[in-house]
Amino acid sequence: MSDLIYLDNSATTFPKPEVVYDFMSDFYRKHGVNPGRSGFDAAIETEEIVHSTRKMLADLFNGDDPNRLTFSYNASDSLNMIIQGLAERGDHIITTFLEHNSVLRPLHHLQINGVAEITHIPFDENGYVNPDDFKKEMKSNTKMVVVNHSSNVIGTIQPLAEIGRICKEKGVIFVVDASQSAGAIHIDMKAMGIDVVVFTGHKCLMGPTGIGGSYVMENVPVKYTRFGGTGVRSAVKTHLEEFPYRLECGTLNIVGVAGLNAGVSWVNEQGMENLHKKEMALWTKLRDAFHQIEGVITYCANNNKDQNPVLCFNVKGFEAGDVGTMLDVDYNIATRTGLHCAPKVHEGIGTFDIHGTVRMSVGPFNTEDHINQAIAAVKEIASIRN
Ligand SMILES: Cc1ncc(COP(=O)(O)O)c(C=O)c1O
């Protein structure tokens, strides 16, 4: 069997850079103690890594205060904390058809519990939302707008700065799900008018699973929804208001933080733009080849600009799941099929009722040879029925 061709980098990037594995192992052996609780050397050094990782990520998003960069398990965890910590009874919230279930579901639960009314903005035939639609949908009780920066299904990158400007004009809180873009696409919270950015560590930031978080700008009234140990001011009966404690409780995933530190350092060394350019060149080759194969249908893959290297397709005459199985079993190519935790994207591209699409997503360790093999495999599969 040939080596695995991994084209499921939107699910999680794999493999990670060697420095990430090495640093995690070394760090946990030498500094695997509880940070922020004790005064011995190893605890202080661990706290230093935690703080420097907060700073590295705050800088990445152009946030001034590293303490406002809080850690959680992943993007879903932080999106729950942010959405539930901001929503109040009677609110109206605007989001999009591009969202992942980690946004759709917390919002849906607010709706069915009678807390908030939710409006979903559709995207156009190329996969982009129109900022004017947000303006049209805003009401006097609109509390927040939640937008997925880059779709995990079709890879399109949304016009955050324009949406941010509208939110600022209307005094509405702007929350961005940067799960697929942090570490790949430049995000400047100040220039783009973003109030909260949520990230996950295991995708383009090249860290491990089990670590994610958010950066919350000053004056964003997010309440804590969890209570517990913070390691400081233990006599206080309530949870602490100040950041980072407001959105963190209990012992941090320090080996995850260390891995994220090494991952972000690696991305910074390589240069985000360089990585993106290389991956987009491979994506373009794949997309252009698929456009030439009879019976292969791609979705929204019309641009090379404002696009991440994610390609969704179907092969006429086959269920997406069957194509994924053939790619896996016959060609050793890892993809993801189905609705990709983003059912409304599939409503938008018309693939909801046919059980979704096959998704190939390119990462930093893919090569031209991987793409050539993927093209040859899909060509063979398409030739069976066409
Ligand atoms: C756009 C988007 N948002 C949120 C998430 C959730 O990330 P996590 O599973 O790390 O919580 C994902 C994961 O695929 C995603 O693609």
Side-chain angles (χ1 to χ4, degrees):
M1 172 71 73
S2 58
D3 287 344
L4 175 72
I5 296 176
Y6 185 79
L7 287 171
D8 196 18
N9 289 282
S10 291
T12 193
T13 47
F14 178 79
K16 305 300 176 190
E18 277 303 311
V19 286
V20 171
Y21 302 122
D22 291 347
F23 189 68
M24 287 174 77
S25 166
D26 196 49
F27 174 83
Y28 207 46
R29 282 168 213 282
K30 291 193 189 133
H31 297 99
V33 300
N34 210 327
R37 265 81 173 152
S38 312
F40 53 89
D41 286 354
I44 292 169
E45 283 158 20
T46 305
E47 180 57 30
E48 277 167 13
I49 280 286
V50 172
H51 191 77
S52 77
T53 313
R54 292 191 202 280
K55 166 102 177 69
M56 215 179 245
L57 285 158
D59 287 348
L60 188 72
F61 304 130
N62 197 16
D64 291 335
D65 180 359
N67 284 332
R68 290 187 160 264
L69 189 295
T70 55
F71 292 115
S72 66
Y73 301 132
N74 49 40
S76 308
D77 194 30
S78 284
L79 283 162
N80 270 276
M81 278 193 273
I82 297 297
I83 290 171
Q84 286 160 22
L86 284 170
E88 290 172 311
R89 196 159 285 277
D91 282 346
H92 171 236
I93 300 171
I94 303 178
T95 188
T96 79
F97 268 62
L98 290 155
E99 304 312 307
H100 189 275
N101 271 338
S102 53
V103 167
L104 293 177
R105 285 180 175 160
L107 292 179
H108 183 68
H109 279 273
L110 290 176
Q111 178 146 316
I112 58 177
N113 290 331
V115 177
E117 182 203 351
I118 316 296
T119 299
H120 297 91
I121 304 278
F123 51 88
D124 66 17
E125 68 282 7
N126 292 318
Y128 300 95
V129 292
N130 180 346
D132 288 342
D133 289 349
F134 291 82
K135 202 179 217 165
K136 284 186 205 135
E137 293 293 346
M138 279 193 192
K139 308 187 204 187
S140 57
N141 62 337
T142 304
K143 164 70 77 58
M144 67 178 131
V145 160
V146 190
V147 172
N148 179 350
H149 189 192
S150 174
S151 168
N152 59 307
V153 184
I154 48 178
T156 49
I157 294 165
Q158 303 307 317
L160 294 188
E162 285 89 333
I163 302 168
R165 191 165 349 100
I166 293 164
C167 290
K168 282 278 155 302
E169 264 167 41
K170 301 279 181 188
V172 168
I173 298 165
F174 186 25
V175 178
V176 172
D177 172 6
S179 298
Q180 294 287 344
S181 58
I185 308 293
H186 186 60
I187 298 172
D188 182 333
M189 293 182 75
K190 285 183 210 152
M192 294 170 158
I194 301 169
D195 293 299
V196 181
V197 79
V198 174
F199 63 94
T200 199
H202 63 100
K203 299 186 195 272
C204 303
L205 294 169
M206 303 309 287
T209 52
I211 189 80
S214 64
Y215 188 99
V216 177
M217 284 292 203
E218 269 170 47
N219 304 321
V220 179
V222 60
K223 294 190 285 291
Y224 49 71
T225 48
R226 293 177 188 173
F227 327 109
T230 49
V232 298
R233 300 181 43 219
S234 298
V236 178
K237 288 198 172 127
T238 56
H239 195 73
L240 302 184
E241 291 283 344
E242 65 261 34
F243 283 87
Y245 311 112
R246 190 190 288 211
L247 297 181
E248 286 177 2
C249 63
T251 302
L252 281 179
N253 171 8
I254 51 163
V255 70
V257 172
L260 186 53
N261 187 299
V264 177
S265 304
W266 183 85
V267 170
N268 287 340
E269 270 162 37
Q270 303 292 313
M272 235 169 27
E273 289 77 14
N274 297 336
L275 291 170
H276 184 70
K277 204 168 150 198
K278 181 195 150 207
E279 292 165 22
M280 279 307 295
L282 297 178
W283 178 89
T284 305
K285 184 177 169 107
L286 190 68
R287 189 268 321 260
D288 290 350
F290 279 11
H291 282 174
Q292 301 303 316
I293 305 175
E294 206 189 324
V296 172
I297 308 145
T298 61
Y299 300 92
C300 293
N302 300 326
N303 283 336
N304 295 56
K305 201 176 147 280
D306 299 327
Q307 176 71 44
N308 251 344
V310 185
L311 187 64
C312 257
F313 67 97
N314 270 312
V315 179
K316 266 190 206 146
F318 288 105
E319 283 272 328
D322 292 337
V323 175
T325 304
M326 284 187 269
L327 287 168
D328 173 25
V329 175
D330 298 336
Y331 302 93
N332 210 14
I333 298 176
T335 62
R336 178 156 174 212
T337 65
L339 299 180
H340 314 100
C341 296
K344 281 194 165 296
V345 178
H346 291 276
E347 284 176 30
I349 61 177
T351 51
F352 185 84
D353 292 329
I354 57 164
H355 312 133
T357 60
V358 187
R359 179 184 74 186
M360 288 186 174
S361 43
V362 178
F365 296 108
N366 285 125
T367 61
E368 191 126 4
D369 182 50
H370 293 161
I371 300 304
N372 289 337
Q373 290 196 51
I375 295 166
V378 171
K379 207 179 259 175
E380 255 180 38
I381 293 170
S383 72
I384 302 172
R385 293 273 164 89
N386 292 285

